[in-house]
Amino acid sequence: MMNIDLLDKKIIFELDLDSRQSSQQLARKVRSSKEVVAYRLKRLEKNSVIFKYLTVLDPAKLGYFLHKVMFKLENVNTKEKEEIIDYLKNHPYSLWTVECDGPFDIGFMVFARNLTELNGVLTEISNKLNKYIHERVVSTNITGEYFTRRYLIQKSKEKKSRYGENTSIQKIDKTDWQILYQLSKNARISITEIAKYVPIKIDAIRERMRKLEKSGIISGYSILINNNVINQLHYKVLIYLKDFSEKKYGAIRQFCVQNENIIYLIKSLGTWDIEIDIEVNSPEKYREITLNLLKQFPDTIRKYDTLQIYRLHEYKYLPHNKVLGEGI
Protein backbone atom coordinates (compact mmCIF):
# COMPACT_ATOMS: atom_id res chain seq x y z
CA MET A 1 0.00 0.00 0.00
CA MET A 2 1.08 3.57 -0.67
CA ASN A 3 -0.54 6.68 0.72
CA ILE A 4 -0.89 9.38 -1.92
CA ASP A 5 -1.42 13.02 -1.00
CA LEU A 6 -3.15 15.84 -2.84
CA LEU A 7 -0.12 16.65 -5.00
CA ASP A 8 0.14 13.00 -6.10
CA LYS A 9 -3.56 13.04 -6.94
CA LYS A 10 -3.17 16.23 -8.98
CA ILE A 11 -0.31 14.66 -10.95
CA ILE A 12 -2.29 11.48 -11.60
CA PHE A 13 -5.31 13.56 -12.65
CA GLU A 14 -3.28 15.56 -15.17
CA LEU A 15 -1.62 12.43 -16.56
CA ASP A 16 -5.06 10.89 -16.87
CA LEU A 17 -6.01 13.82 -19.11
CA ASP A 18 -2.81 13.62 -21.14
CA SER A 19 0.01 11.29 -20.17
CA ARG A 20 2.44 12.80 -22.69
CA GLN A 21 2.68 16.05 -20.75
CA SER A 22 6.23 16.93 -19.73
CA SER A 23 7.27 17.39 -16.10
CA GLN A 24 7.46 21.12 -16.77
CA GLN A 25 3.89 21.21 -18.11
CA LEU A 26 2.68 19.12 -15.17
CA ALA A 27 4.49 21.39 -12.71
CA ARG A 28 2.75 24.46 -14.08
CA LYS A 29 -0.69 22.83 -13.85
CA VAL A 30 -0.28 21.38 -10.34
CA ARG A 31 1.48 24.54 -9.08
CA SER A 32 4.73 22.90 -8.04
CA SER A 33 8.34 22.84 -9.23
CA LYS A 34 9.57 20.72 -12.10
CA GLU A 35 12.01 18.93 -9.78
CA VAL A 36 9.32 18.03 -7.23
CA VAL A 37 6.96 16.77 -9.95
CA ALA A 38 9.73 14.67 -11.54
CA TYR A 39 10.53 13.16 -8.13
CA ARG A 40 6.87 12.43 -7.37
CA LEU A 41 6.40 10.87 -10.81
CA LYS A 42 9.35 8.52 -10.34
CA ARG A 43 8.00 7.55 -6.93
CA LEU A 44 4.54 6.77 -8.36
CA GLU A 45 6.18 4.61 -11.02
CA LYS A 46 8.55 2.87 -8.58
CA ASN A 47 5.71 2.00 -6.21
CA SER A 48 3.61 0.74 -9.14
CA VAL A 49 0.80 3.22 -8.56
CA ILE A 50 1.06 3.93 -12.27
CA PHE A 51 0.76 0.61 -14.09
CA LYS A 52 1.17 1.95 -17.60
CA TYR A 53 1.04 5.05 -19.77
CA LEU A 54 -1.70 4.17 -22.24
CA THR A 55 -2.11 5.34 -25.83
CA VAL A 56 -5.79 5.05 -26.71
CA LEU A 57 -6.27 4.12 -30.37
CA ASP A 58 -9.43 3.79 -32.44
CA PRO A 59 -9.23 0.17 -33.64
CA ALA A 60 -12.04 0.55 -36.21
CA LYS A 61 -10.05 3.23 -38.05
CA LEU A 62 -7.18 0.76 -38.35
CA GLY A 63 -9.44 -2.01 -39.65
CA TYR A 64 -9.77 -4.24 -36.61
CA PHE A 65 -12.01 -4.91 -33.62
CA LEU A 66 -11.55 -5.63 -29.92
CA HIS A 67 -13.13 -8.85 -28.65
CA LYS A 68 -13.36 -9.48 -24.91
CA VAL A 69 -13.17 -13.12 -23.80
CA MET A 70 -14.20 -14.06 -20.26
CA PHE A 71 -13.27 -17.43 -18.73
CA LYS A 72 -14.74 -19.30 -15.79
CA LEU A 73 -12.15 -21.87 -14.75
CA GLU A 74 -12.43 -25.30 -13.15
CA ASN A 75 -10.02 -27.95 -11.86
CA VAL A 76 -7.19 -25.44 -11.64
CA ASN A 77 -4.69 -24.89 -8.84
CA THR A 78 -2.73 -21.73 -8.09
CA LYS A 79 0.30 -22.68 -10.16
CA GLU A 80 -1.83 -23.70 -13.14
CA LYS A 81 -3.77 -20.44 -12.94
CA GLU A 82 -0.53 -18.45 -12.98
CA GLU A 83 0.59 -20.43 -16.05
CA ILE A 84 -2.74 -19.72 -17.80
CA ILE A 85 -2.44 -16.00 -17.10
CA ASP A 86 1.18 -15.96 -18.27
CA TYR A 87 0.15 -17.74 -21.48
CA LEU A 88 -2.70 -15.29 -22.15
CA LYS A 89 -0.87 -12.04 -21.37
CA ASN A 90 2.06 -13.09 -23.59
CA HIS A 91 -0.11 -14.36 -26.44
CA PRO A 92 0.73 -12.39 -29.62
CA TYR A 93 -2.93 -11.33 -30.02
CA SER A 94 -3.24 -10.25 -26.37
CA LEU A 95 -4.35 -6.70 -25.57
CA TRP A 96 -5.84 -6.98 -22.05
CA THR A 97 -5.51 -9.64 -19.36
CA VAL A 98 -6.98 -9.43 -15.86
CA GLU A 99 -7.80 -11.60 -12.86
CA CYS A 100 -11.21 -11.00 -11.35
CA ASP A 101 -13.77 -12.17 -8.81
CA GLY A 102 -17.38 -12.78 -9.77
CA PRO A 103 -19.00 -14.87 -12.51
CA PHE A 104 -15.65 -15.07 -14.35
CA ASP A 105 -12.07 -15.64 -13.21
CA ILE A 106 -10.01 -14.24 -16.09
CA GLY A 107 -10.63 -11.58 -18.72
CA PHE A 108 -8.72 -11.50 -21.99
CA MET A 109 -9.03 -9.18 -25.01
CA VAL A 110 -8.21 -10.23 -28.55
CA PHE A 111 -7.21 -8.18 -31.59
CA ALA A 112 -8.83 -9.45 -34.78
CA ARG A 113 -9.47 -7.99 -38.21
CA ASN A 114 -12.34 -10.40 -38.98
CA LEU A 115 -14.28 -13.37 -37.63
CA THR A 116 -11.96 -15.88 -39.31
CA GLU A 117 -8.97 -14.44 -37.48
CA LEU A 118 -10.91 -14.33 -34.20
CA ASN A 119 -12.02 -17.95 -34.60
CA GLY A 120 -8.44 -19.03 -35.24
CA VAL A 121 -7.20 -17.33 -32.06
CA LEU A 122 -10.04 -18.67 -29.89
CA THR A 123 -9.62 -22.19 -31.29
CA GLU A 124 -5.91 -22.13 -30.49
CA ILE A 125 -6.54 -20.87 -26.95
CA SER A 126 -9.39 -23.30 -26.31
CA ASN A 127 -7.29 -26.26 -27.47
CA LYS A 128 -4.51 -25.15 -25.12
CA LEU A 129 -6.72 -24.49 -22.07
CA ASN A 130 -9.72 -26.73 -22.72
CA LYS A 131 -9.41 -28.86 -19.59
CA TYR A 132 -9.46 -25.74 -17.39
CA ILE A 133 -12.33 -23.85 -19.04
CA HIS A 134 -15.76 -24.30 -17.48
CA GLU A 135 -17.34 -21.44 -19.41
CA ARG A 136 -16.22 -19.05 -22.14
CA VAL A 137 -18.11 -15.91 -23.19
CA VAL A 138 -17.13 -13.58 -26.05
CA SER A 139 -18.22 -9.94 -26.38
CA THR A 140 -17.16 -7.41 -29.02
CA ASN A 141 -16.46 -3.78 -28.12
CA ILE A 142 -18.48 -1.55 -30.44
CA THR A 143 -17.51 1.76 -28.85
CA GLY A 144 -15.43 2.68 -25.82
CA GLU A 145 -15.18 5.92 -23.89
CA TYR A 146 -12.84 7.03 -21.10
CA PHE A 147 -13.87 9.58 -18.49
CA THR A 148 -11.56 11.66 -16.34
CA ARG A 149 -10.85 10.46 -12.79
CA ARG A 150 -12.62 13.49 -11.33
CA TYR A 151 -12.94 11.78 -7.95
CA LEU A 152 -9.24 12.46 -7.36
CA ILE A 153 -9.56 16.21 -7.00
CA GLN A 154 -13.29 16.88 -7.56
CA LYS A 155 -12.84 18.70 -10.85
CA SER A 156 -15.58 18.79 -13.45
CA LYS A 157 -13.39 18.70 -16.56
CA GLU A 158 -14.52 15.85 -18.81
CA LYS A 159 -12.11 13.97 -21.02
CA LYS A 160 -13.23 13.14 -24.57
CA SER A 161 -11.22 10.00 -25.26
CA ARG A 162 -13.24 7.47 -27.20
CA TYR A 163 -13.08 4.97 -30.03
CA GLY A 164 -15.35 3.11 -32.42
CA GLU A 165 -17.76 5.89 -33.39
CA ASN A 166 -16.54 6.23 -36.96
CA THR A 167 -15.87 2.95 -38.72
CA SER A 168 -14.19 4.39 -41.85
CA ILE A 169 -10.75 2.83 -42.21
CA GLN A 170 -7.84 5.28 -42.47
CA LYS A 171 -4.95 4.53 -44.80
CA ILE A 172 -1.59 4.60 -43.01
CA ASP A 173 1.82 3.40 -44.11
CA LYS A 174 4.48 1.23 -42.51
CA THR A 175 6.15 4.19 -40.80
CA ASP A 176 2.88 5.21 -39.14
CA TRP A 177 2.39 1.64 -37.91
CA GLN A 178 5.90 1.68 -36.43
CA ILE A 179 5.18 4.92 -34.57
CA LEU A 180 1.86 3.59 -33.26
CA TYR A 181 3.50 0.38 -32.12
CA GLN A 182 6.08 2.21 -30.02
CA LEU A 183 3.42 4.50 -28.54
CA SER A 184 1.23 1.50 -27.73
CA LYS A 185 3.96 0.15 -25.46
CA ASN A 186 4.48 3.43 -23.61
CA ALA A 187 2.53 6.64 -24.23
CA ARG A 188 5.29 8.73 -22.61
CA ILE A 189 8.04 7.46 -24.88
CA SER A 190 10.05 10.40 -26.18
CA ILE A 191 10.18 11.22 -29.88
CA THR A 192 13.95 10.80 -29.67
CA GLU A 193 13.43 7.25 -28.41
CA ILE A 194 10.86 6.52 -31.14
CA ALA A 195 13.46 7.64 -33.69
CA LYS A 196 15.65 4.69 -32.65
CA TYR A 197 13.01 2.35 -34.11
CA VAL A 198 11.61 4.51 -36.92
CA PRO A 199 14.14 5.56 -39.58
CA ILE A 200 12.95 9.13 -40.19
CA LYS A 201 13.83 12.52 -38.69
CA ILE A 202 12.44 13.65 -35.34
CA ASP A 203 10.45 16.51 -36.89
CA ALA A 204 8.86 14.05 -39.32
CA ILE A 205 7.84 11.76 -36.44
CA ARG A 206 6.31 14.70 -34.60
CA GLU A 207 4.32 15.72 -37.70
CA ARG A 208 3.09 12.17 -38.28
CA MET A 209 1.92 11.95 -34.67
CA ARG A 210 -0.05 15.18 -35.13
CA LYS A 211 -1.75 13.72 -38.21
CA LEU A 212 -2.55 10.47 -36.39
CA GLU A 213 -4.10 12.50 -33.57
CA LYS A 214 -6.04 14.76 -35.95
CA SER A 215 -7.45 11.79 -37.87
CA GLY A 216 -8.67 10.23 -34.61
CA ILE A 217 -6.53 7.11 -34.95
CA ILE A 218 -4.86 8.27 -31.75
CA SER A 219 -7.80 9.14 -29.51
CA GLY A 220 -5.80 10.22 -26.49
CA TYR A 221 -3.05 9.49 -23.98
CA SER A 222 -3.97 8.30 -20.50
CA ILE A 223 -2.74 6.12 -17.65
CA LEU A 224 -3.62 2.86 -15.97
CA ILE A 225 -3.31 2.74 -12.19
CA ASN A 226 -2.95 -0.10 -9.70
CA ASN A 227 -5.99 0.45 -7.53
CA ASN A 228 -4.94 -2.06 -4.88
CA VAL A 229 -1.66 -0.19 -4.29
CA ILE A 230 -3.58 2.92 -3.21
CA ASN A 231 -6.28 0.99 -1.34
CA GLN A 232 -8.95 1.38 -4.01
CA LEU A 233 -11.35 -1.11 -5.58
CA HIS A 234 -11.93 -1.56 -9.30
CA TYR A 235 -15.24 -3.02 -10.47
CA LYS A 236 -16.44 -3.88 -13.96
CA VAL A 237 -20.22 -4.00 -14.31
CA LEU A 238 -21.74 -6.08 -17.14
CA ILE A 239 -25.20 -4.68 -17.88
CA TYR A 240 -27.96 -6.63 -19.63
CA LEU A 241 -30.74 -4.49 -21.09
CA LYS A 242 -34.39 -5.43 -21.54
CA ASP A 243 -34.26 -3.88 -24.98
CA PHE A 244 -31.62 -1.73 -26.65
CA SER A 245 -32.08 1.67 -28.26
CA GLU A 246 -29.68 4.56 -28.85
CA LYS A 247 -31.93 6.78 -26.71
CA LYS A 248 -31.70 4.41 -23.73
CA TYR A 249 -27.98 3.97 -24.21
CA GLY A 250 -27.61 7.75 -24.32
CA ALA A 251 -29.43 8.10 -21.00
CA ILE A 252 -27.17 5.53 -19.33
CA ARG A 253 -24.14 7.23 -20.88
CA GLN A 254 -25.22 10.53 -19.35
CA PHE A 255 -25.48 8.82 -15.96
CA CYS A 256 -21.87 7.64 -16.41
CA VAL A 257 -20.66 11.10 -17.47
CA GLN A 258 -22.15 12.64 -14.34
CA ASN A 259 -20.74 10.06 -11.91
CA GLU A 260 -17.14 10.90 -10.98
CA ASN A 261 -16.26 7.29 -10.06
CA ILE A 262 -17.17 5.83 -13.46
CA ILE A 263 -14.04 5.90 -15.60
CA TYR A 264 -14.87 3.74 -18.63
CA LEU A 265 -17.96 2.94 -20.70
CA ILE A 266 -18.26 0.29 -23.42
CA LYS A 267 -21.10 -0.48 -25.78
CA SER A 268 -20.90 -4.22 -26.40
CA LEU A 269 -22.16 -6.77 -28.90
CA GLY A 270 -22.60 -10.12 -27.20
CA THR A 271 -24.09 -11.60 -24.06
CA TRP A 272 -24.28 -8.24 -22.28
CA ASP A 273 -24.97 -4.82 -23.80
CA ILE A 274 -22.94 -2.32 -21.76
CA GLU A 275 -19.83 -2.41 -19.57
CA ILE A 276 -18.89 0.27 -17.06
CA ASP A 277 -15.71 0.45 -14.98
CA ILE A 278 -15.90 1.96 -11.51
CA GLU A 279 -13.08 2.96 -9.13
CA VAL A 280 -14.09 3.48 -5.50
CA ASN A 281 -12.58 3.41 -2.01
CA SER A 282 -15.15 1.01 -0.51
CA PRO A 283 -17.72 -1.68 -1.42
CA GLU A 284 -20.37 0.57 0.10
CA LYS A 285 -19.60 3.31 -2.43
CA TYR A 286 -19.83 0.81 -5.27
CA ARG A 287 -23.19 -0.43 -3.98
CA GLU A 288 -24.46 3.14 -3.76
CA ILE A 289 -23.61 3.72 -7.44
CA THR A 290 -25.19 0.50 -8.72
CA LEU A 291 -28.34 0.94 -6.64
CA ASN A 292 -28.67 4.46 -8.03
CA LEU A 293 -28.19 3.08 -11.54
CA LEU A 294 -30.98 0.54 -11.07
CA LYS A 295 -33.22 3.15 -9.48
CA GLN A 296 -32.86 5.49 -12.46
CA PHE A 297 -33.33 2.80 -15.12
CA PRO A 298 -35.77 0.17 -13.75
CA ASP A 299 -37.49 -0.29 -17.13
CA THR A 300 -34.23 -0.48 -19.09
CA ILE A 301 -31.83 -2.71 -17.13
CA ARG A 302 -32.77 -6.38 -16.91
CA LYS A 303 -29.86 -7.35 -14.66
CA TYR A 304 -26.16 -6.81 -14.12
CA ASP A 305 -23.12 -8.90 -13.13
CA THR A 306 -20.27 -7.56 -11.02
CA LEU A 307 -16.62 -8.34 -11.60
CA GLN A 308 -14.03 -7.10 -9.15
CA ILE A 309 -10.78 -6.57 -11.04
CA TYR A 310 -8.11 -7.39 -8.51
CA ARG A 311 -5.08 -7.67 -10.77
CA LEU A 312 -4.30 -6.12 -14.14
CA HIS A 313 -1.62 -7.99 -16.08
CA GLU A 314 -1.71 -6.37 -19.52
CA TYR A 315 -3.43 -3.54 -21.37
CA LYS A 316 -2.57 -2.03 -24.74
CA TYR A 317 -4.20 -1.19 -28.07
CA LEU A 318 -1.93 -3.02 -30.50
CA PRO A 319 -0.90 -6.69 -30.38
CA HIS A 320 2.59 -8.10 -30.87
CA ASN A 321 4.30 -6.80 -34.00
CA LYS A 322 4.31 -10.22 -35.67
CA VAL A 323 0.50 -10.09 -35.68
CA LEU A 324 0.57 -6.73 -37.46
CA GLY A 325 2.71 -8.32 -40.16
CA GLU A 326 3.72 -5.96 -42.96
CA GLY A 327 2.51 -2.98 -40.94
CA ILE A 328 5.63 -3.29 -38.79
Side-chain angles (χ1 to χ4, degrees):
M1 293 294 179
M2 176 182 172
N3 291 321
I4 58 173
D5 62 15
L6 182 58
L7 180 56
D8 290 324
K9 290 178 181 180
K10 286 180 178 180
I11 293 170
I12 293 170
F13 178 82
E14 290 298 335
L15 289 170
D16 192 38
L17 286 172
D18 179 7
S19 60
R20 282 193 64 79
Q21 295 184 76
S22 67
S23 295
Q24 186 171 352
Q25 289 172 314
L26 288 170
R28 185 167 59 251
K29 292 180 180 179
V30 303
R31 298 176 183 271
S32 184
S33 70
K34 178 182 175 182
E35 292 73 23
V36 169
V37 168
Y39 169 78
R40 291 293 188 108
L41 196 53
K42 286 182 180 179
R43 191 179 66 162
L44 291 169
E45 294 168 349
K46 182 179 179 181
N47 287 279
S48 301
V49 175
I50 297 174
F51 176 81
K52 187 172 186 177
Y53 297 107
L54 182 70
T55 301
V56 183
L57 306 179
D58 190 332
K61 290 184 178 179
L62 293 170
Y64 68 89
F65 296 91
L66 308 180
H67 305 275
K68 190 172 279 91
V69 187
M70 305 302 299
F71 295 112
K72 185 67 178 178
L73 304 178
E74 63 179 0
N75 304 319
V76 58
N77 58 39
T78 302
K79 182 181 178 182
E80 289 168 333
K81 187 176 182 180
E82 289 174 354
E83 291 172 349
I84 291 169
I85 291 169
D86 190 63
Y87 167 72
L88 291 175
K89 76 176 184 180
N90 290 301
H91 193 282
Y93 281 81
S94 170
L95 299 177
W96 174 78
T97 307
V98 297
E99 291 180 77
C100 48
D101 284 329
F104 303 105
D105 301 303
I106 294 176
F108 175 69
M109 193 151 64
V110 177
F111 156 98
R113 295 178 182 87
N114 51 55
L115 293 178
T116 300
E117 189 170 32
L118 174 64
N119 181 64
V121 175
L122 295 184
T123 298
E124 176 196 335
I125 292 172
S126 295
N127 289 340
K128 174 79 172 179
L129 306 178
N130 186 53
K131 67 178 181 178
Y132 303 118
I133 298 174
H134 174 73
E135 182 182 3
R136 186 194 76 184
V137 177
V138 181
S139 176
T140 300
N141 291 7
I142 301 173
T143 62
E145 188 168 2
Y146 292 87
F147 303 111
T148 307
R149 289 180 166 93
R150 291 173 293 143
Y151 66 83
L152 287 168
I153 56 174
Q154 283 73 53
K155 279 204 173 182
S156 60
K157 191 173 183 180
E158 181 189 347
K159 181 172 59 179
K160 303 287 187 180
S161 181
R162 59 183 69 179
Y163 63 84
E165 292 183 312
N166 186 342
T167 57
S168 60
I169 299 176
Q170 305 287 318
K171 293 287 186 180
I172 63 173
D173 61 17
K174 181 176 180 180
T175 301
D176 288 328
W177 276 109
Q178 291 173 327
I179 292 170
L180 289 175
Y181 184 67
Q182 296 304 320
L183 286 168
S184 74
K185 294 191 291 183
N186 177 13
R188 279 184 72 80
I189 186 174
S190 68
I191 295 179
T192 303
E193 188 67 20
I194 293 175
K196 295 179 181 179
Y197 305 94
V198 182
I200 60 174
K201 293 182 179 180
I202 288 176
D203 287 344
I205 293 174
R206 186 178 290 110
E207 181 59 28
R208 281 176 177 264
M209 286 177 60
R210 288 197 192 102
K211 289 181 179 178
L212 290 167
E213 292 163 359
K214 186 176 180 180
S215 70
I217 291 174
I218 296 177
S219 177
Y221 305 100
S222 189
I223 59 169
L224 300 170
I225 64 174
N226 274 317
N227 288 278
N228 57 333
V229 175
I230 55 174
N231 200 28
Q232 280 192 162
L233 301 171
H234 180 180
Y235 294 95
K236 180 175 281 292
V237 187
L238 311 177
I239 300 174
Y240 305 74
L241 302 181
K242 294 177 181 178
D243 61 281
F244 187 90
S245 72
E246 287 302 322
K247 183 177 180 181
K248 291 179 178 179
Y249 175 79
I252 293 176
R253 179 194 174 276
Q254 191 58 34
F255 174 91
C256 295
V257 169
Q258 293 173 349
N259 192 294
E260 65 179 17
N261 292 96
I262 295 176
I263 62 164
Y264 191 28
L265 169 68
I266 298 173
K267 184 194 298 184
S268 303
L269 177 64
T271 306
W272 52 85
D273 302 290
I274 295 173
E275 299 175 28
I276 61 176
D277 283 53
I278 302 174
E279 292 179 344
V280 289
N281 56 15
S282 70
E284 291 76 19
K285 182 63 177 178
Y286 168 74
R287 187 169 185 270
E288 175 190 320
I289 294 169
T290 51
L291 287 177
N292 194 20
L293 179 65
L294 291 176
K295 182 179 179 180
Q296 289 200 32
F297 303 100
D299 299 324
T300 302
I301 297 175
R302 178 164 55 90
K303 70 167 188 172
Y304 70 89
D305 287 329
T306 299
L307 300 175
Q308 183 178 345
I309 308 297
Y310 67 85
R311 190 172 180 191
L312 174 64
H313 291 274
E314 180 61 277
Y315 202 144
K316 58 190 176 185
Y317 270 85
L318 284 181
H320 193 277
N321 58 11
K322 71 180 182 181
V323 172
L324 298 173
E326 63 181 18
I328 297 295

